[in-house]
Amino acid sequence: MNLIITGGCGHIGSYIAENIYKIKKIKKTFIVDNLKSNRFNSLFNQKKKNNLYFHMLDLNNQNSLDKFKNVKYVIHCASMTNAEKSFERKKEMYRNNLNCLKTVIKFCKKKQAKLIHLSSTSVYGKQAKIVDETCEKKFLKPQSPYAHIKILEENMLRRDTKYLSFNTFRLGTITGVSPGIRFHTAVNKFCFNASINKNVEVYKTALDQFRPYLSLKDTFKVFEFCIRNNFYKNDIFNILSGNFTVRQILNKINKRKKIKIKLVKSAIMNQLSYHVSKKKIQSHGLILNSNISKDINDTLNLLKNL
Ligand SMILES: NC(=O)c1ccc[n+]([C@@H]2O[C@H](COP(=O)([O-])OP(=O)(O)OC[C@H]3O[C@@H](n4cnc5c(N)ncnc54)[C@H](O)[C@@H]3O)[C@@H](O)[C@H]2O)c1
C-alpha cells in the first residue's frame, strides 16, 4: 500500500519520510512538495529502505495529485506555517492552505484514501483552564490568521465526512530534529538563539503561561497507530506530549547552554495560559509521553560546535 506525504520536505513530513520503513504496510511513499520553503536538504541522502519518490508539485493546482495510483493513505502536511508572519502574508496563506486541503480532499474522496489532516492547538487561543476537543465554538479564539485558517480547514472536513475517512489532529508545538527542521517555532528558535549566544526573545507575559508541546517521536507514533489499526474516526483529537511553561522550556535549555532572556512584544502575545487535554486520544490506548528534554538536547547538539 502506498502513502502520499504532502509537504513532505517540511519539518514534520521529512521526519515521517525518514522513519517510514518502520511501518511495514507502506510499500512506496510519494513525497509531494512545491519546495517554496526551499528545503531541498530534506531530500539529501535518503535511505533506500524508505522507498521514497519525490514529486515537485503545487497543491494549489486541484489536479496535481491525479496521477498517483494505489494510494491508500495521505498525511497532509503541506501548508504555509509561520504563524507570526501570517499577519503580513494573510491573503496568500488563506489561499494556499485552503487550496491545498481542497486538492487533498478531492483526491482522497476519488481514490478512497484515508486522510490525516494536521491542525494546531493554537485554535484554542485565549483560554484559562484546561481545554479539550469538546470546547464550544465560542471558546475557540485563534490569535493569528494561521490559527484561524486551521479552524476553517477543520470545518471544511466536518462538512465533508460522507465519502471521506479522516482524522484531524490538533498538534502542539513540535520539538525534535528532522531533515527539514525549521526554526520559526518557539523551542527551536530559543535553541538557535541560545546556541549563537543571542538574546532569547520571549513575549512579555508569556514566561509563566502553559502551552502544549509535542515531540516528533510522539507525532510519528500517532501516524503509525492510525495506519496499523485503521484508526480513522472522522473526528478531532488533541495531540501533545505535555504542557509546559516557557520558563520550564528555557530552564531545560539553560541546563545545556546559558541563555540571556529579552522580553518583547508580539502581535500574538495576548494569549492567556492554557493546558490542553490529551485524554481523548489516550482513551484509545495511545499514550504520548516522549521526553521533550531529549529533543531539546538533540536540537542543541546540531549547533554545538558553533
Ligand atoms: N511544526 C509545528 O510546530 C506544528 C504545530 C502544529 C501544527 N502543525 C501543522 O503541521 C503541518 C506540517 O507542519 P511543518 O512544521 O512540517 O511545516 P513546514 O513549514 O515545515 O512544511 C510545510 C511544507 O509544505 C510545503 N507546501 C506549502 N504549500 C504547498 C503547496 N501549495 N504545494 C505543495 N507543497 C506546499 C512547503 O514547501 C513545506 O515544505 C502544517 O499543517 C502545520 O500547520 C505544525
Side-chain angles (χ1 to χ4, degrees):
M1 289 171 202
N2 301 333
L3 163 74
I4 292 179
I5 309 172
T6 72
C9 291
H11 193 181
I12 298 175
S14 64
Y15 186 86
I16 310 166
E18 191 185 31
N19 287 284
I20 201 65
Y21 70 93
K22 294 175 184 164
I23 310 180
K24 300 286 178 247
K25 257 190 185 175
I26 303 297
K27 298 301 171 217
K28 281 184 189 172
T29 298
F30 303 111
I31 297 175
V32 170
D33 203 294
N34 63 1
L35 285 173
K36 281 263 169 75
S37 61
N38 232 19
R39 269 170 269 167
F40 290 82
N41 46 296
S42 298
L43 301 170
F44 299 167
N45 304 315
Q46 285 295 348
K47 293 187 190 78
K48 254 194 159 160
K49 63 181 172 187
N50 279 320
N51 207 13
L52 303 176
Y53 297 79
F54 176 65
H55 294 260
M56 189 161 133
L57 295 169
D58 193 321
L59 294 174
N60 280 295
N61 172 359
Q62 302 273 297
N63 302 320
S64 50
L65 298 176
D66 284 358
K67 65 177 176 182
F68 292 100
K69 300 222 164 39
N70 300 323
V71 171
K72 177 96 190 270
Y73 307 103
V74 176
I75 303 179
H76 177 45
C77 302
S79 217
M80 287 173 64
T81 53
N82 190 338
E84 216 177 337
K85 286 272 182 305
S86 69
F87 291 89
E88 54 201 69
R89 300 180 70 185
K90 209 167 156 180
K91 234 176 151 176
E92 190 187 353
M93 198 180 251
Y94 272 88
R95 188 185 52 78
N96 184 72
N97 294 2
L98 296 176
N99 275 345
C100 285
L101 183 59
K102 272 185 206 155
T103 302
V104 166
I105 290 178
K106 179 177 164 241
F107 174 83
C108 288
K109 278 183 159 180
K110 195 166 165 203
K111 308 278 175 154
Q112 297 186 334
K114 295 173 192 282
L115 169 63
I116 287 174
H117 163 247
L118 302 183
S119 181
S120 161
T121 49
S122 62
V123 295
Y124 291 118
K126 273 188 184 171
Q127 293 289 340
K129 295 183 205 145
I130 191 147
V131 288
D132 66 21
E133 299 84 345
T134 61
C135 132
E136 284 175 59
K137 240 188 201 167
K138 66 177 178 196
F139 294 119
L140 293 177
K141 296 226 166 73
Q143 301 288 298
S144 67
Y146 165 79
H148 181 242
I149 296 167
K150 289 295 181 200
I151 292 188
L152 298 181
E153 290 180 15
E154 290 183 2
N155 291 340
M156 216 156 125
L157 275 166
R158 239 195 289 252
R159 282 195 302 270
D160 233 339
T161 54
K162 209 167 170 193
Y163 300 106
L164 208 56
S165 286
F166 73 93
N167 294 317
T168 285
F169 291 132
R170 288 179 179 160
L171 308 185
T173 297
I174 293 289
T175 63
V177 172
S178 73
I181 188 170
R182 67 183 167 99
F183 286 86
H184 313 136
T185 51
V187 180
N188 289 355
K189 206 190 287 176
F190 296 159
C191 286
F192 186 77
N193 282 3
S195 298
I196 61 168
N197 295 320
K198 212 176 151 202
N199 288 336
V200 170
E201 296 191 343
V202 180
Y203 306 146
K204 265 184 201 168
T205 71
L207 257 183
D208 292 304
Q209 292 176 351
F210 279 91
R211 287 283 179 278
Y213 294 91
L214 171 65
S215 168
L216 276 171
K217 295 186 192 84
D218 278 340
T219 316
F220 186 79
K221 200 170 164 183
V222 174
F223 301 153
E224 192 177 18
F225 180 84
C226 295
I227 294 174
R228 271 196 213 288
N229 301 300
N230 201 22
F231 180 87
Y232 294 90
K233 299 286 183 195
N234 291 18
D235 203 358
I236 296 176
F237 298 88
N238 294 331
I239 304 293
L240 60 144
S241 304
N243 292 287
F244 302 97
T245 64
V246 174
R247 196 188 295 277
Q248 286 171 330
I249 296 286
L250 293 173
N251 285 343
K252 289 176 195 293
I253 299 173
N254 208 33
K255 278 188 192 151
R256 271 282 308 272
K257 186 84 194 166
K258 272 263 151 304
I259 47 179
K260 291 172 275 176
I261 299 172
K262 184 181 172 203
L263 297 173
V264 294
K265 282 190 177 176
S266 154
I268 47 175
M269 83 174 196
N270 56 344
Q271 295 178 333
L272 298 178
S273 181
Y274 59 94
H275 280 74
V276 173
S277 164
K278 55 179 166 179
K279 273 192 184 151
K280 184 171 171 181
I281 192 70
Q282 300 215 137
S283 73
H284 291 275
L286 183 59
I287 305 302
L288 303 174
N289 53 10
S290 281
N291 189 342
I292 298 288
S293 302
K294 167 91 175 57
D295 287 350
I296 287 175
N297 269 331
D298 290 346
T299 307
L300 291 170
N301 276 343
L302 286 180
L303 303 157
K304 71 179 173 200
N305 294 327
L306 287 178

